[in-house]
Amino acid sequence: MDHQELTTYFRSLDRSFFVGDDMKQYAGLDRPLPIGYDQTISQPSLVLEMTKLLEPEKDSKTLEIGTGSGFQTALLAKMSMEVYTVERIGELMKKAKERLNALNFSNIFYKTGDGSTGWQEHAPYDRIMVTAAAGSLPDELVEQLAIGGRMVIPVGPPHLQELKLVTKTDNGDINIRTVELVRFVELKGQYGWNNKK
Ligand code: SAM
C-alpha cells in the first residue's frame, strides 16, 4: 500500500460532506459524530489507522461491513481495486451511495442487509474491514477471507472492544493479533453481538 497516497487522499476528503447539516460544524474534530439511526462515524484518526492496518492494495477485492456514512468506504475504494460494502440500515446506505457516486467512484458495490454473514456471492476477499463490534469473530467472515488476506474487526462487549487484525496464512492458518482497545457500535444480525437483529 502507498502510505503517501493514502494520507494525501485522507487529507483531501472533507468529512463535513459525510455528515448531516447539524454536525458539519464539528466535522473537523477528531471525534466520532452521530450520523442518525443511533449510529456514528468514527474519529478520522482511527479510520486512517484501521485503513493502514488493513493494507489494501491496488488489486485488492475488499469487503466492508458497516457502510455508515461512506467515509471509510471512500478511503477503501481509493486504495483497492473493488469494494463490496454492506449496511443494514437502508436510509444510511442510500445517503452513502449518493455521496460516493458524487465522488465518481465506479468500483464500489452496495448491499443493504446483514453483513455479519459477509457477502458470500463475491467471496473470497483479500481484505475485510468491519466497522461495528462483533461479540466474537464471525466464522463466515473468516471463511470468506482469501488465503493471504487481512481482516480488521473490533471484537468484544458493547462498551469496549479489542481491535483485532486477523490474517490467513498461505496454508490457511488463522493468526489473530490484538492491536488496541476501541469503542464501536454493535454489529447486529446473525453473527453479531448477542445475535441482535
Ligand atoms: N465506517 C462508517 C463510516 O465511515 O461512516 C461508520 C460505521 S458505524 C461505526 C457502524 C455501521 O455498521 C452502522 O452504520 C451500522 O448500521 C452498521 N451495522 C451494524 N450491524 C451491521 C450488520 N450486521 N450488517 C451491516 N451493517 C451493520
Side-chain angles (χ1 to χ4, degrees):
M1 184 183 63
D2 182 337
H3 282 246
Q4 188 57 51
E5 184 187 6
L6 172 63
T7 306
T8 303
Y9 185 64
F10 172 77
R11 289 198 184 128
S12 77
L13 259 192
D14 178 6
R15 196 164 79 129
S16 70
F17 180 61
F18 292 85
V19 295
D21 288 343
D22 54 337
M23 286 295 133
K24 288 193 190 299
Q25 60 181 310
Y26 305 115
L29 301 175
D30 193 26
R31 294 275 179 85
L33 295 175
I35 54 172
Y37 311 94
D38 283 334
Q39 304 303 321
T40 52
I41 178 174
S42 304
Q43 64 270 39
S45 59
L46 181 59
V47 175
L48 181 63
E49 187 190 339
M50 287 172 68
T51 310
K52 285 180 178 167
L53 195 59
L54 191 72
E55 289 182 9
E57 301 290 349
K58 288 293 178 195
D59 60 354
S60 294
K61 192 173 168 185
T62 299
L63 174 67
E64 179 191 37
I65 308 301
T67 318
S69 68
F71 182 74
Q72 170 78 84
T73 321
L75 279 187
L76 294 174
K78 183 72 181 174
M79 304 306 293
S80 308
M81 180 180 67
E82 291 176 337
V83 175
Y84 294 80
T85 186
V86 186
E87 168 58 53
R88 57 180 279 277
I89 299 175
E91 293 85 348
L92 286 179
M93 182 56 112
K94 182 169 175 284
K95 281 190 203 159
K97 195 172 175 180
E98 283 168 9
R99 292 175 185 130
L100 293 160
N101 282 341
L103 293 176
N104 289 323
F105 281 109
S106 56
N107 60 340
I108 306 175
F109 304 89
Y110 304 86
K111 179 179 171 181
T112 301
D114 178 10
S116 75
T117 57
W119 191 346
Q120 179 63 52
E121 193 185 345
H122 301 286
Y125 301 95
D126 306 302
R127 301 288 184 265
I128 300 181
M129 174 73 88
V130 184
T131 60
S136 58
L137 194 56
D139 288 344
E140 303 247 345
L141 294 184
V142 175
E143 275 164 27
Q144 290 175 31
L145 189 63
I147 293 287
R150 295 167 76 86
M151 166 162 51
V152 173
I153 178 170
V155 178
H159 297 296
L160 198 63
Q161 304 97 32
E162 294 182 339
L163 187 66
K164 306 277 190 191
L165 171 64
V166 180
T167 49
K168 197 178 263 190
T169 65
D170 288 348
N171 57 10
D173 289 342
I174 303 300
N175 290 328
I176 303 173
R177 176 159 77 84
T178 299
V179 178
E180 63 177 328
L181 294 177
V182 288
R183 185 172 177 176
F184 274 86
V185 295
E186 291 173 36
L187 179 74
K188 302 196 189 242
Q190 193 175 341
Y191 293 93
W193 176 250
N194 228 3
N195 292 337
K196 278 189 197 162
K197 301 278 179 199

